[in-house]
Short mmCIF file of all heavy atoms in Angstrom, two decimals:
data_model
loop_
_atom_site.label_atom_id
_atom_site.label_comp_id
_atom_site.label_asym_id
_atom_site.label_seq_id
_atom_site.Cartn_x
_atom_site.Cartn_y
_atom_site.Cartn_z
N MET A 1 4.00 -11.99 -4.62
CA MET A 1 4.92 -11.88 -3.50
C MET A 1 4.35 -10.93 -2.45
O MET A 1 3.55 -10.05 -2.75
CB MET A 1 6.30 -11.42 -3.98
CG MET A 1 6.42 -9.96 -4.38
SD MET A 1 8.05 -9.56 -5.06
CE MET A 1 9.11 -9.66 -3.61
N LYS A 2 4.73 -11.17 -1.23
CA LYS A 2 4.21 -10.35 -0.14
C LYS A 2 5.25 -9.36 0.35
O LYS A 2 6.41 -9.70 0.48
CB LYS A 2 3.82 -11.25 1.03
CG LYS A 2 2.52 -11.98 0.82
CD LYS A 2 2.02 -12.52 2.16
CE LYS A 2 0.64 -13.13 2.03
NZ LYS A 2 0.65 -14.59 1.88
N GLU A 3 4.78 -8.15 0.60
CA GLU A 3 5.67 -7.13 1.14
C GLU A 3 4.95 -6.39 2.26
O GLU A 3 3.73 -6.23 2.21
CB GLU A 3 6.05 -6.10 0.07
CG GLU A 3 7.11 -6.57 -0.92
CD GLU A 3 8.53 -6.62 -0.34
OE1 GLU A 3 8.76 -6.08 0.75
OE2 GLU A 3 9.39 -7.24 -1.00
N ILE A 4 5.70 -5.93 3.23
CA ILE A 4 5.12 -5.08 4.26
C ILE A 4 5.79 -3.72 4.17
O ILE A 4 7.02 -3.61 4.25
CB ILE A 4 5.34 -5.67 5.66
CG1 ILE A 4 4.63 -7.03 5.77
CG2 ILE A 4 4.80 -4.71 6.73
CD1 ILE A 4 4.87 -7.75 7.10
N LEU A 5 4.96 -2.70 3.95
CA LEU A 5 5.49 -1.34 3.86
C LEU A 5 5.15 -0.57 5.13
O LEU A 5 4.07 -0.72 5.67
CB LEU A 5 4.87 -0.61 2.67
CG LEU A 5 5.07 -1.22 1.29
CD1 LEU A 5 4.19 -0.52 0.27
CD2 LEU A 5 6.51 -1.12 0.86
N LYS A 6 6.09 0.22 5.56
CA LYS A 6 5.85 1.13 6.69
C LYS A 6 5.38 2.45 6.11
O LYS A 6 6.10 3.07 5.34
CB LYS A 6 7.15 1.34 7.46
CG LYS A 6 7.34 0.37 8.59
CD LYS A 6 6.63 0.90 9.84
CE LYS A 6 6.93 0.02 11.06
NZ LYS A 6 6.05 0.38 12.19
N VAL A 7 4.18 2.85 6.47
CA VAL A 7 3.63 4.07 5.91
C VAL A 7 3.24 5.04 7.02
O VAL A 7 2.46 4.71 7.91
CB VAL A 7 2.40 3.77 5.03
CG1 VAL A 7 1.82 5.05 4.46
CG2 VAL A 7 2.77 2.82 3.89
N GLU A 8 3.80 6.22 6.92
CA GLU A 8 3.52 7.26 7.92
C GLU A 8 2.35 8.14 7.49
O GLU A 8 2.20 8.45 6.32
CB GLU A 8 4.74 8.16 8.07
CG GLU A 8 5.54 7.88 9.31
CD GLU A 8 6.80 8.74 9.37
OE1 GLU A 8 6.88 9.76 8.66
OE2 GLU A 8 7.71 8.37 10.13
N GLY A 9 1.55 8.55 8.45
CA GLY A 9 0.52 9.54 8.18
C GLY A 9 -0.90 9.02 8.14
O GLY A 9 -1.84 9.78 8.05
N MET A 10 -1.04 7.70 8.20
CA MET A 10 -2.40 7.14 8.20
C MET A 10 -2.94 7.20 9.63
O MET A 10 -2.33 6.69 10.56
CB MET A 10 -2.39 5.68 7.73
CG MET A 10 -1.90 5.50 6.31
SD MET A 10 -2.03 3.77 5.76
CE MET A 10 -0.97 2.93 6.94
N THR A 11 -4.09 7.84 9.78
CA THR A 11 -4.60 8.01 11.14
C THR A 11 -5.99 7.41 11.38
O THR A 11 -6.36 7.15 12.50
CB THR A 11 -4.68 9.51 11.49
OG1 THR A 11 -5.39 10.18 10.45
CG2 THR A 11 -3.29 10.12 11.62
N CYS A 12 -6.75 7.24 10.34
CA CYS A 12 -8.11 6.76 10.56
C CYS A 12 -8.58 5.86 9.42
O CYS A 12 -7.83 5.62 8.48
CB CYS A 12 -9.05 7.95 10.71
SG CYS A 12 -9.21 8.89 9.19
N SER A 13 -9.83 5.43 9.52
CA SER A 13 -10.34 4.50 8.52
C SER A 13 -10.45 5.15 7.15
O SER A 13 -10.43 4.47 6.13
CB SER A 13 -11.68 3.94 8.96
OG SER A 13 -12.58 5.01 9.17
N CYS A 14 -10.54 6.46 7.15
CA CYS A 14 -10.61 7.15 5.85
C CYS A 14 -9.27 7.07 5.13
O CYS A 14 -9.21 6.89 3.91
CB CYS A 14 -11.12 8.58 6.05
SG CYS A 14 -10.16 9.86 5.30
N CYS A 15 -8.19 7.20 5.88
CA CYS A 15 -6.86 7.04 5.30
C CYS A 15 -6.69 5.61 4.76
O CYS A 15 -6.15 5.42 3.66
CB CYS A 15 -5.78 7.27 6.35
SG CYS A 15 -5.86 8.90 7.10
N VAL A 16 -7.15 4.67 5.54
CA VAL A 16 -7.05 3.27 5.13
C VAL A 16 -7.79 3.08 3.81
O VAL A 16 -7.27 2.47 2.87
CB VAL A 16 -7.65 2.34 6.21
CG1 VAL A 16 -7.79 0.91 5.70
CG2 VAL A 16 -6.80 2.36 7.46
N GLY A 17 -8.98 3.67 3.74
CA GLY A 17 -9.77 3.57 2.52
C GLY A 17 -9.07 4.17 1.32
O GLY A 17 -9.06 3.60 0.24
N LYS A 18 -8.46 5.34 1.54
CA LYS A 18 -7.77 6.01 0.44
C LYS A 18 -6.59 5.20 -0.07
O LYS A 18 -6.39 5.05 -1.27
CB LYS A 18 -7.27 7.39 0.90
CG LYS A 18 -8.34 8.46 0.84
CD LYS A 18 -7.72 9.85 0.71
CE LYS A 18 -7.11 10.34 2.00
NZ LYS A 18 -6.67 11.73 1.96
N VAL A 19 -5.80 4.70 0.87
CA VAL A 19 -4.62 3.92 0.49
C VAL A 19 -5.04 2.63 -0.21
O VAL A 19 -4.51 2.27 -1.27
CB VAL A 19 -3.72 3.62 1.72
CG1 VAL A 19 -2.61 2.63 1.37
CG2 VAL A 19 -3.12 4.90 2.26
N GLU A 20 -6.05 1.98 0.36
CA GLU A 20 -6.54 0.74 -0.23
C GLU A 20 -7.00 0.96 -1.66
O GLU A 20 -6.65 0.21 -2.57
CB GLU A 20 -7.72 0.21 0.58
CG GLU A 20 -7.33 -0.88 1.55
CD GLU A 20 -8.52 -1.31 2.42
OE1 GLU A 20 -9.65 -0.81 2.22
OE2 GLU A 20 -8.29 -2.12 3.32
N LYS A 21 -7.77 2.02 -1.82
CA LYS A 21 -8.35 2.30 -3.13
C LYS A 21 -7.26 2.61 -4.16
O LYS A 21 -7.34 2.17 -5.31
CB LYS A 21 -9.30 3.49 -3.01
CG LYS A 21 -10.47 3.44 -3.97
CD LYS A 21 -11.40 4.61 -3.70
CE LYS A 21 -12.04 5.08 -4.99
NZ LYS A 21 -12.61 6.42 -4.86
N SER A 22 -6.25 3.36 -3.73
CA SER A 22 -5.20 3.74 -4.66
C SER A 22 -4.40 2.52 -5.14
O SER A 22 -4.05 2.43 -6.31
CB SER A 22 -4.26 4.77 -4.03
OG SER A 22 -3.50 4.19 -3.00
N ILE A 23 -4.15 1.59 -4.23
CA ILE A 23 -3.36 0.41 -4.63
C ILE A 23 -4.22 -0.58 -5.40
O ILE A 23 -3.75 -1.27 -6.29
CB ILE A 23 -2.76 -0.30 -3.40
CG1 ILE A 23 -2.02 0.68 -2.49
CG2 ILE A 23 -1.80 -1.39 -3.83
CD1 ILE A 23 -1.55 0.04 -1.20
N ASP A 24 -5.48 -0.61 -5.02
CA ASP A 24 -6.39 -1.56 -5.62
C ASP A 24 -6.56 -1.34 -7.13
O ASP A 24 -6.89 -2.26 -7.86
CB ASP A 24 -7.75 -1.45 -4.91
CG ASP A 24 -8.52 -2.74 -4.99
OD1 ASP A 24 -7.88 -3.81 -4.93
OD2 ASP A 24 -9.76 -2.69 -5.13
N GLN A 25 -6.32 -0.10 -7.57
CA GLN A 25 -6.44 0.21 -9.00
C GLN A 25 -5.39 -0.50 -9.83
O GLN A 25 -5.53 -0.66 -11.03
CB GLN A 25 -6.21 1.71 -9.24
CG GLN A 25 -7.23 2.62 -8.59
CD GLN A 25 -6.74 4.08 -8.65
OE1 GLN A 25 -5.62 4.35 -9.05
NE2 GLN A 25 -7.60 5.00 -8.24
N LEU A 26 -4.31 -0.89 -9.19
CA LEU A 26 -3.20 -1.49 -9.93
C LEU A 26 -3.50 -2.94 -10.30
O LEU A 26 -3.97 -3.72 -9.48
CB LEU A 26 -1.92 -1.43 -9.08
CG LEU A 26 -1.35 -0.05 -8.78
CD1 LEU A 26 -0.30 -0.15 -7.69
CD2 LEU A 26 -0.75 0.55 -10.03
N ASP A 27 -3.19 -3.25 -11.53
CA ASP A 27 -3.36 -4.61 -12.00
C ASP A 27 -2.26 -5.47 -11.37
O ASP A 27 -1.11 -5.08 -11.34
CB ASP A 27 -3.24 -4.60 -13.53
CG ASP A 27 -3.74 -5.90 -14.13
OD1 ASP A 27 -4.62 -6.53 -13.52
OD2 ASP A 27 -3.25 -6.27 -15.20
N GLY A 28 -2.63 -6.62 -10.84
CA GLY A 28 -1.63 -7.51 -10.28
C GLY A 28 -1.57 -7.52 -8.77
O GLY A 28 -0.88 -8.33 -8.17
N VAL A 29 -2.33 -6.61 -8.15
CA VAL A 29 -2.39 -6.59 -6.69
C VAL A 29 -3.53 -7.49 -6.25
O VAL A 29 -4.68 -7.30 -6.64
CB VAL A 29 -2.61 -5.15 -6.16
CG1 VAL A 29 -2.84 -5.16 -4.65
CG2 VAL A 29 -1.42 -4.27 -6.50
N SER A 30 -3.21 -8.51 -5.45
CA SER A 30 -4.27 -9.44 -5.08
C SER A 30 -4.84 -9.21 -3.69
O SER A 30 -6.01 -9.51 -3.45
CB SER A 30 -3.79 -10.88 -5.22
OG SER A 30 -2.57 -11.04 -4.54
N SER A 31 -4.04 -8.69 -2.78
CA SER A 31 -4.63 -8.37 -1.48
C SER A 31 -3.90 -7.26 -0.76
O SER A 31 -2.70 -7.06 -0.93
CB SER A 31 -4.75 -9.62 -0.60
OG SER A 31 -3.59 -9.80 0.16
N ILE A 32 -4.65 -6.51 0.02
CA ILE A 32 -4.09 -5.39 0.77
C ILE A 32 -4.63 -5.48 2.19
O ILE A 32 -5.82 -5.68 2.40
CB ILE A 32 -4.56 -4.03 0.20
CG1 ILE A 32 -4.34 -3.94 -1.30
CG2 ILE A 32 -3.88 -2.87 0.91
CD1 ILE A 32 -5.32 -3.00 -1.98
N LYS A 33 -3.74 -5.34 3.15
CA LYS A 33 -4.17 -5.33 4.53
C LYS A 33 -3.45 -4.19 5.24
O LYS A 33 -2.23 -4.09 5.18
CB LYS A 33 -3.82 -6.67 5.20
CG LYS A 33 -5.00 -7.28 5.90
CD LYS A 33 -4.63 -8.60 6.52
CE LYS A 33 -5.80 -9.11 7.35
NZ LYS A 33 -5.50 -10.41 7.94
N ILE A 34 -4.22 -3.34 5.89
CA ILE A 34 -3.61 -2.17 6.51
C ILE A 34 -3.84 -2.17 8.01
O ILE A 34 -4.96 -2.37 8.49
CB ILE A 34 -4.18 -0.88 5.87
CG1 ILE A 34 -3.83 -0.86 4.37
CG2 ILE A 34 -3.60 0.36 6.58
CD1 ILE A 34 -4.38 0.32 3.60
N ASP A 35 -2.76 -1.96 8.74
CA ASP A 35 -2.83 -1.84 10.19
C ASP A 35 -2.43 -0.42 10.57
O ASP A 35 -1.25 -0.05 10.50
CB ASP A 35 -1.88 -2.86 10.83
CG ASP A 35 -2.03 -2.91 12.34
OD1 ASP A 35 -2.25 -1.84 12.96
OD2 ASP A 35 -1.92 -4.02 12.91
N VAL A 36 -3.41 0.39 10.93
CA VAL A 36 -3.16 1.80 11.22
C VAL A 36 -2.24 1.97 12.44
O VAL A 36 -1.32 2.78 12.42
CB VAL A 36 -4.49 2.56 11.45
CG1 VAL A 36 -4.21 4.00 11.85
CG2 VAL A 36 -5.33 2.54 10.19
N ASP A 37 -2.50 1.19 13.47
CA ASP A 37 -1.71 1.31 14.70
C ASP A 37 -0.23 1.02 14.46
O ASP A 37 0.64 1.70 14.99
CB ASP A 37 -2.25 0.36 15.78
CG ASP A 37 -3.66 0.75 16.20
OD1 ASP A 37 -3.97 1.96 16.17
OD2 ASP A 37 -4.45 -0.14 16.53
N LYS A 38 0.04 0.03 13.66
CA LYS A 38 1.43 -0.33 13.37
C LYS A 38 1.99 0.45 12.19
O LYS A 38 3.17 0.30 11.84
CB LYS A 38 1.53 -1.83 13.06
CG LYS A 38 1.34 -2.73 14.25
CD LYS A 38 1.62 -4.16 13.83
CE LYS A 38 1.28 -5.16 14.91
NZ LYS A 38 1.20 -6.53 14.38
N GLU A 39 1.14 1.22 11.53
CA GLU A 39 1.51 1.95 10.31
C GLU A 39 2.03 1.01 9.24
O GLU A 39 3.02 1.31 8.56
CB GLU A 39 2.55 3.04 10.63
CG GLU A 39 2.08 4.06 11.64
CD GLU A 39 3.05 5.22 11.80
OE1 GLU A 39 4.24 4.95 12.02
OE2 GLU A 39 2.60 6.38 11.72
N GLU A 40 1.35 -0.11 9.11
CA GLU A 40 1.80 -1.10 8.14
C GLU A 40 0.79 -1.34 7.03
O GLU A 40 -0.41 -1.41 7.28
CB GLU A 40 2.04 -2.45 8.85
CG GLU A 40 3.38 -2.55 9.52
CD GLU A 40 3.56 -3.88 10.23
OE1 GLU A 40 2.67 -4.75 10.16
OE2 GLU A 40 4.58 -4.05 10.88
N VAL A 41 1.33 -1.46 5.84
CA VAL A 41 0.51 -1.85 4.70
C VAL A 41 1.08 -3.17 4.18
O VAL A 41 2.22 -3.23 3.72
CB VAL A 41 0.54 -0.79 3.58
CG1 VAL A 41 -0.21 -1.28 2.35
CG2 VAL A 41 -0.06 0.52 4.07
N LYS A 42 0.27 -4.21 4.30
CA LYS A 42 0.70 -5.51 3.78
C LYS A 42 0.07 -5.68 2.42
O LYS A 42 -1.14 -5.59 2.27
CB LYS A 42 0.21 -6.64 4.68
CG LYS A 42 0.99 -6.76 5.97
CD LYS A 42 0.47 -7.94 6.78
CE LYS A 42 1.03 -7.85 8.19
NZ LYS A 42 0.37 -8.78 9.12
N VAL A 43 0.90 -5.93 1.46
CA VAL A 43 0.38 -6.07 0.11
C VAL A 43 0.89 -7.35 -0.54
O VAL A 43 2.04 -7.74 -0.37
CB VAL A 43 0.67 -4.79 -0.73
CG1 VAL A 43 2.16 -4.50 -0.83
CG2 VAL A 43 0.06 -4.87 -2.12
N ASP A 44 -0.03 -8.01 -1.22
CA ASP A 44 0.30 -9.23 -1.92
C ASP A 44 0.11 -8.94 -3.41
O ASP A 44 -0.96 -8.53 -3.82
CB ASP A 44 -0.65 -10.34 -1.45
CG ASP A 44 -0.11 -11.72 -1.79
OD1 ASP A 44 0.89 -11.80 -2.52
OD2 ASP A 44 -0.71 -12.71 -1.34
N PHE A 45 1.16 -9.13 -4.17
CA PHE A 45 1.05 -8.78 -5.59
C PHE A 45 1.86 -9.71 -6.49
O PHE A 45 2.76 -10.41 -6.04
CB PHE A 45 1.51 -7.32 -5.80
CG PHE A 45 2.95 -7.05 -5.41
CD1 PHE A 45 3.94 -6.98 -6.37
CD2 PHE A 45 3.31 -6.86 -4.08
CE1 PHE A 45 5.27 -6.74 -6.03
CE2 PHE A 45 4.63 -6.62 -3.73
CZ PHE A 45 5.61 -6.56 -4.70
N ASN A 46 1.48 -9.69 -7.76
CA ASN A 46 2.18 -10.47 -8.77
C ASN A 46 3.29 -9.60 -9.36
O ASN A 46 3.02 -8.62 -10.06
CB ASN A 46 1.16 -10.86 -9.85
CG ASN A 46 1.80 -11.68 -10.95
OD1 ASN A 46 3.02 -11.71 -11.12
ND2 ASN A 46 0.96 -12.36 -11.71
N LYS A 47 4.52 -9.95 -9.08
CA LYS A 47 5.62 -9.08 -9.48
C LYS A 47 5.86 -9.04 -11.00
O LYS A 47 6.62 -8.23 -11.49
CB LYS A 47 6.90 -9.40 -8.72
CG LYS A 47 7.52 -10.73 -8.98
CD LYS A 47 8.87 -10.78 -8.28
CE LYS A 47 9.51 -12.15 -8.20
NZ LYS A 47 9.50 -12.96 -9.40
N ASP A 48 5.20 -9.93 -11.73
CA ASP A 48 5.30 -9.87 -13.19
C ASP A 48 4.39 -8.79 -13.77
O ASP A 48 4.55 -8.36 -14.90
CB ASP A 48 4.94 -11.22 -13.81
CG ASP A 48 5.95 -12.29 -13.42
OD1 ASP A 48 7.13 -11.95 -13.24
OD2 ASP A 48 5.54 -13.46 -13.28
N LYS A 49 3.40 -8.40 -12.96
CA LYS A 49 2.43 -7.42 -13.45
C LYS A 49 2.63 -6.02 -12.87
O LYS A 49 2.29 -5.03 -13.50
CB LYS A 49 1.01 -7.87 -13.11
CG LYS A 49 0.52 -9.01 -13.95
CD LYS A 49 -0.94 -9.27 -13.68
CE LYS A 49 -1.49 -10.36 -14.57
NZ LYS A 49 -2.83 -10.77 -14.14
N VAL A 50 3.13 -5.97 -11.66
CA VAL A 50 3.25 -4.68 -10.99
C VAL A 50 4.50 -4.69 -10.11
O VAL A 50 4.87 -5.73 -9.57
CB VAL A 50 1.95 -4.37 -10.19
CG1 VAL A 50 1.76 -5.33 -9.03
CG2 VAL A 50 1.91 -2.94 -9.71
N THR A 51 5.14 -3.54 -10.00
CA THR A 51 6.35 -3.48 -9.18
C THR A 51 6.04 -2.82 -7.83
O THR A 51 5.06 -2.09 -7.69
CB THR A 51 7.46 -2.65 -9.86
OG1 THR A 51 7.02 -1.29 -9.96
CG2 THR A 51 7.78 -3.18 -11.24
N LEU A 52 6.91 -3.09 -6.90
CA LEU A 52 6.76 -2.47 -5.59
C LEU A 52 6.87 -0.94 -5.71
O LEU A 52 6.19 -0.20 -5.01
CB LEU A 52 7.83 -3.01 -4.63
CG LEU A 52 7.65 -2.65 -3.15
CD1 LEU A 52 6.33 -3.18 -2.61
CD2 LEU A 52 8.80 -3.20 -2.34
N GLY A 53 7.70 -0.51 -6.64
CA GLY A 53 7.85 0.92 -6.89
C GLY A 53 6.54 1.58 -7.30
O GLY A 53 6.23 2.69 -6.86
N GLN A 54 5.78 0.90 -8.14
CA GLN A 54 4.48 1.44 -8.58
C GLN A 54 3.51 1.52 -7.41
O GLN A 54 2.74 2.47 -7.29
CB GLN A 54 3.88 0.54 -9.67
CG GLN A 54 4.58 0.67 -11.01
CD GLN A 54 4.03 -0.34 -12.02
OE1 GLN A 54 4.16 -1.54 -11.82
NE2 GLN A 54 3.40 0.14 -13.07
N ILE A 55 3.56 0.52 -6.56
CA ILE A 55 2.68 0.50 -5.39
C ILE A 55 3.04 1.66 -4.45
O ILE A 55 2.18 2.40 -3.99
CB ILE A 55 2.79 -0.86 -4.66
CG1 ILE A 55 2.24 -1.97 -5.55
CG2 ILE A 55 2.06 -0.83 -3.31
CD1 ILE A 55 2.52 -3.37 -5.07
N LYS A 56 4.33 1.81 -4.22
CA LYS A 56 4.79 2.90 -3.35
C LYS A 56 4.39 4.25 -3.89
O LYS A 56 3.98 5.14 -3.16
CB LYS A 56 6.32 2.85 -3.20
CG LYS A 56 6.81 1.73 -2.31
CD LYS A 56 8.32 1.75 -2.24
CE LYS A 56 8.85 0.72 -1.26
NZ LYS A 56 10.31 0.66 -1.27
N LYS A 57 4.52 4.39 -5.20
CA LYS A 57 4.18 5.66 -5.85
C LYS A 57 2.71 6.01 -5.62
O LYS A 57 2.38 7.17 -5.33
CB LYS A 57 4.49 5.57 -7.34
CG LYS A 57 4.56 6.91 -8.02
CD LYS A 57 5.15 6.80 -9.43
CE LYS A 57 4.84 8.06 -10.21
NZ LYS A 57 3.85 7.89 -11.29
N LYS A 58 1.85 5.03 -5.73
CA LYS A 58 0.41 5.26 -5.52
C LYS A 58 0.14 5.76 -4.10
O LYS A 58 -0.66 6.66 -3.89
CB LYS A 58 -0.38 3.98 -5.77
CG LYS A 58 -0.55 3.65 -7.21
CD LYS A 58 -1.62 4.54 -7.83
CE LYS A 58 -1.80 4.25 -9.31
NZ LYS A 58 -2.62 5.28 -9.96
N ILE A 59 0.81 5.14 -3.15
CA ILE A 59 0.62 5.53 -1.75
C ILE A 59 1.10 6.97 -1.54
O ILE A 59 0.43 7.77 -0.91
CB ILE A 59 1.35 4.56 -0.80
CG1 ILE A 59 0.77 3.14 -0.93
CG2 ILE A 59 1.27 5.04 0.65
CD1 ILE A 59 1.53 2.08 -0.17
N GLU A 60 2.24 7.26 -2.13
CA GLU A 60 2.79 8.60 -1.99
C GLU A 60 1.91 9.66 -2.67
O GLU A 60 1.79 10.77 -2.18
CB GLU A 60 4.22 8.64 -2.55
CG GLU A 60 5.20 8.02 -1.56
CD GLU A 60 6.59 7.78 -2.17
OE1 GLU A 60 6.74 7.87 -3.40
OE2 GLU A 60 7.50 7.49 -1.40
N GLU A 61 1.31 9.27 -3.78
CA GLU A 61 0.41 10.19 -4.48
C GLU A 61 -0.80 10.57 -3.63
O GLU A 61 -1.40 11.62 -3.81
CB GLU A 61 -0.07 9.57 -5.80
CG GLU A 61 0.92 9.73 -6.92
CD GLU A 61 0.55 8.92 -8.18
OE1 GLU A 61 -0.54 8.33 -8.20
OE2 GLU A 61 1.35 8.91 -9.11
N GLU A 62 -1.15 9.69 -2.70
CA GLU A 62 -2.27 9.98 -1.78
C GLU A 62 -1.82 10.89 -0.62
O GLU A 62 -2.62 11.29 0.20
CB GLU A 62 -2.86 8.69 -1.21
CG GLU A 62 -3.63 7.85 -2.23
CD GLU A 62 -4.81 8.61 -2.85
OE1 GLU A 62 -5.49 9.34 -2.13
OE2 GLU A 62 -5.02 8.44 -4.07
N GLY A 63 -0.54 11.14 -0.57
CA GLY A 63 -0.02 12.05 0.44
C GLY A 63 0.57 11.40 1.68
O GLY A 63 0.81 12.06 2.69
N TYR A 64 0.84 10.10 1.60
CA TYR A 64 1.44 9.41 2.74
C TYR A 64 2.90 9.12 2.46
O TYR A 64 3.32 9.01 1.31
CB TYR A 64 0.66 8.13 3.04
CG TYR A 64 -0.79 8.43 3.32
CD1 TYR A 64 -1.75 8.23 2.34
CD2 TYR A 64 -1.17 8.97 4.54
CE1 TYR A 64 -3.08 8.55 2.58
CE2 TYR A 64 -2.48 9.30 4.78
CZ TYR A 64 -3.45 9.09 3.80
OH TYR A 64 -4.75 9.42 4.04
N LYS A 65 3.63 8.99 3.56
CA LYS A 65 5.07 8.83 3.42
C LYS A 65 5.49 7.40 3.73
O LYS A 65 5.11 6.83 4.76
CB LYS A 65 5.76 9.80 4.38
CG LYS A 65 7.20 10.02 4.09
CD LYS A 65 7.81 10.98 5.10
CE LYS A 65 9.31 10.79 5.12
NZ LYS A 65 9.88 11.13 6.42
N ILE A 66 6.30 6.85 2.86
CA ILE A 66 6.80 5.50 3.09
C ILE A 66 8.16 5.61 3.76
O ILE A 66 9.04 6.33 3.29
CB ILE A 66 6.89 4.72 1.77
CG1 ILE A 66 5.47 4.49 1.25
CG2 ILE A 66 7.59 3.39 1.98
CD1 ILE A 66 5.37 4.22 -0.18
N VAL A 67 8.30 4.90 4.88
CA VAL A 67 9.56 5.00 5.62
C VAL A 67 10.39 3.74 5.51
O VAL A 67 9.92 2.71 5.08
CB VAL A 67 9.32 5.33 7.13
CG1 VAL A 67 8.99 6.81 7.26
CG2 VAL A 67 8.24 4.50 7.73
CU1 CU B 1 -7.84 9.47 7.68
#
């Protein structure tokens, strides 16, 4: 399933890399697309394997805020 998360605090390609890497570790995530200007993280995942809550937690652990 596809979800778009609003994430505050991402400012550059390094932030994008960090967020991507953190979510990518999760089993069941098939694609991640991040738009820094819009502060959006588009994620495509298998909801039988991973929950949106787990994805959000990973982003928050990197120090970004989900709005
Ligand atoms: Cu950065």
Side-chain angles (χ1 to χ4, degrees):
M1 74 185 289
K2 283 196 174 98
E3 282 287 347
I4 298 176
L5 301 170
K6 268 274 186 191
V7 179
E8 257 176 18
M10 298 184 299
T11 51
C12 67
S13 57
C14 130
C15 301
V16 170
K18 277 204 285 188
V19 171
E20 261 175 4
K21 212 176 147 198
S22 69
I23 309 173
D24 206 36
Q25 296 168 353
L26 294 167
D27 194 28
V29 173
S30 51
S31 89
I32 309 153
K33 231 179 174 178
I34 299 177
D35 187 323
V36 176
D37 295 328
K38 288 186 187 164
E39 301 188 309
E40 277 178 3
V41 174
K42 285 182 193 168
V43 59
D44 198 351
F45 61 101
N46 180 342
K47 66 172 168 45
D48 295 328
K49 286 188 176 169
V50 67
T51 65
L52 191 60
Q54 287 174 296
I55 294 169
K56 286 179 175 175
K57 196 169 164 251
K58 283 283 179 192
I59 297 173
E60 283 168 348
E61 278 171 6
E62 289 301 320
Y64 303 100
K65 196 181 159 208
I66 293 159
V67 283

